Amino acid sequence: MDAHTLLPPGTAPTQAATRPRLAVHRLPMAHPGDLSALAALFDEGVIEPAQVVAVIGKTEGNGGVNDFTRGYFTQTLMSLLAARLGRPAAELLRELPCILSGGTEGVLSPHYVVFARTGQPAAAAGPGPGALAIGTAVSAPLPAQHVGRWAQVASVAGAVREAMRGAGIARAEDVAFVQVKCPCVTAARAQAATAAGHTVLTADSGRSMAAARAAGAFGVAIALGELPDDPALEAAMGADFERFSRRASISSGVEVEANEVIVLGHSAAWEGTLRMACAPMRDALDIGAVAEALRPLGMNAAPQLSAADAARVAAVFVKCEPDRRGHVRGLRHTMLDDTDINAQRHIRGAVGGMVAGVLGDARIFVSGGAEHQGPDGGGLVAVIAHAA
């Protein structure tokens, strides 16, 4: 267990804080329904169930449409919180983002990151470095006919803005990273939409996941001012990969029906030692991007992080994709042509191994499918760490 303490030593977790304060707990799982590490934190009084505001996890499923490990984990989490809080699990499901990515290929280790907040609700503050802040939002359910279309873009953009307000982050430039989970179109959802007189963008579940990720990335980019809010740009989604967000990480899955958004950034309204940095990857071999993400946090990998610096790292999030042009730095790759192993599994294993080697730690959230999330054929690397 790698728990990063919420309050200063000797301070009870129930003591009211004058300002919001964020803690990040990176916890192991023995299987996709294993929440024993989080239950132990509750039992030990390290955090209280009501302080949990979001979860991002990496499960050992296949990462595809039929990856039910994500839903299994979510169901178990909501059951645990419902029992501790005395609230219906279905109610919590509509409020608390639980964003899972399947696929722990290679050295990647199944784990989940719990975000806990204490203190008063954040209020917008003036510019300044501040501490790491979090805001969350869950959109209204997204109909199947809107997946991958401008209606989804608008939904995500609105949720990002809502989450920024909740975090007390006044400026888009103070946002470090945005994690989104979007619904996809299953065969059943497509049939229901058709029966209601609607037309879905695609009834192919795999393609709908890619389209949902693209729309989600555009939504984040618009909310952060990286792209103009112009519906005419809908034609660029999945086509013009020169348009992208440098801070968006988007996943899609069958286990959600709405757009779930987690915004992380810095706000002078918050206190604490946590900071975050994010850097784009130009391709799957861009080990320099890992160093670039570490540098603002005062860490230098030469070539691997020291044990002292590694202990400061609270969480790592990576987006990547197999280059759709079939080459990496002029050399042919075969990921897209392998009918035995899905290309996303190839790229998660490859990039995950590279980043883990630099950090000396396999607890990394690595998600494939980086449409418009960083440069084409690349992705991004984001790191949360405690200040030195």
Side-chain angles (χ1 to χ4, degrees):
M1 182 184 303
D2 181 16
H4 294 269
T5 305
L6 183 64
L7 298 171
T11 303
T14 54
Q15 180 175 327
T18 56
R19 286 190 292 168
R21 188 180 183 99
L22 177 65
V24 174
H25 302 266
R26 186 168 49 175
L27 306 173
M29 61 173 82
H31 55 77
D34 177 25
L35 274 295
S36 59
L38 179 58
L41 291 186
F42 293 158
D43 293 339
E44 295 162 7
V46 177
I47 58 173
E48 298 176 2
Q51 294 171 347
V52 176
V53 293
V55 174
I56 300 177
K58 192 67 185 163
T59 65
E60 58 207 79
N62 60 27
V65 176
N66 66 333
D67 182 353
F68 300 110
T69 64
R70 300 176 306 218
Y72 178 29
F73 179 95
T74 301
Q75 181 183 53
T76 308
L77 173 66
M78 298 306 164
S79 178
L80 172 64
L81 291 175
R84 299 291 180 125
L85 294 171
R87 296 181 59 193
E91 186 176 279
L92 294 171
L93 192 64
R94 293 191 294 268
E95 299 175 4
L96 189 135
C98 178
I99 298 178
L100 285 306
S101 172
T104 50
E105 295 80 8
V107 299
L108 296 176
S109 181
H111 69 286
Y112 56 107
V113 178
V114 177
F115 297 88
R117 185 187 71 186
T118 57
Q120 302 304 314
L132 188 62
I134 188 171
T136 66
V138 178
S139 76
L142 188 72
Q145 65 270 21
H146 290 169
V147 172
R149 293 186 165 128
W150 200 255
Q152 183 187 351
V153 174
S155 174
V156 171
V160 171
R161 295 186 183 107
E162 179 185 342
M164 287 176 62
R165 289 191 295 269
I169 299 175
R171 306 185 309 169
E173 53 263 45
D174 292 328
V175 173
F177 180 76
V178 181
Q179 179 68 58
V180 181
K181 187 76 176 190
C182 304
C184 66
V185 179
T186 62
R189 290 174 182 174
Q191 291 169 8
T194 300
H198 303 294
T199 302
V200 297
L201 180 65
T202 174
D204 183 296
S205 298
R207 291 183 178 179
S208 80
M209 291 175 74
R213 291 191 297 262
F218 268 53
V220 174
I222 288 169
L224 299 185
E226 297 172 306
L227 288 176
D229 190 355
D230 181 1
L233 287 177
E234 181 172 337
M237 295 190 307
D240 181 359
F241 292 100
E242 294 300 313
R243 301 178 187 271
F244 59 84
S245 172
R246 299 171 66 90
R247 291 169 284 177
S249 173
I250 318 296
S251 292
S252 178
V254 67
E255 74 276 15
V256 297
E257 296 183 351
N259 297 303
E260 300 185 359
V261 173
I262 300 171
V263 169
L264 290 158
H266 300 95
S267 171
W270 289 62
E271 63 183 9
T273 63
L274 289 171
R275 305 291 184 269
M276 189 172 196
C278 183
M281 298 175 62
R282 64 187 179 94
D283 59 33
L285 299 177
D286 192 3
I287 197 169
V290 187
E292 185 180 345
L294 294 170
R295 195 172 298 115
L297 303 173
M299 291 186 281
N300 179 39
Q304 192 174 81
L305 281 186
S306 67
D309 279 345
R312 292 171 48 204
V313 175
V316 181
F317 307 100
V318 178
K319 283 298 294 189
C320 58
E321 65 176 6
D323 194 301
R324 71 192 76 250
R325 294 157 294 195
H327 292 82
V328 178
R329 300 194 184 183
L331 299 175
R332 185 173 71 95
H333 71 76
T334 62
M335 290 183 280
L336 300 174
D337 299 320
D338 190 338
T339 56
D340 295 315
I341 303 173
N342 185 272
Q344 299 296 338
R345 310 204 76 168
H346 273 290
I347 198 66
R348 287 194 297 260
V351 174
M354 178 181 71
V355 178
V358 175
L359 301 176
D361 195 319
R363 296 168 300 174
I364 303 169
F365 177 95
V366 180
S367 175
E371 299 87 353
H372 307 289
Q373 302 153 67
D376 189 21
L380 55 83
V381 180
V383 181
I384 298 175
H386 287 273

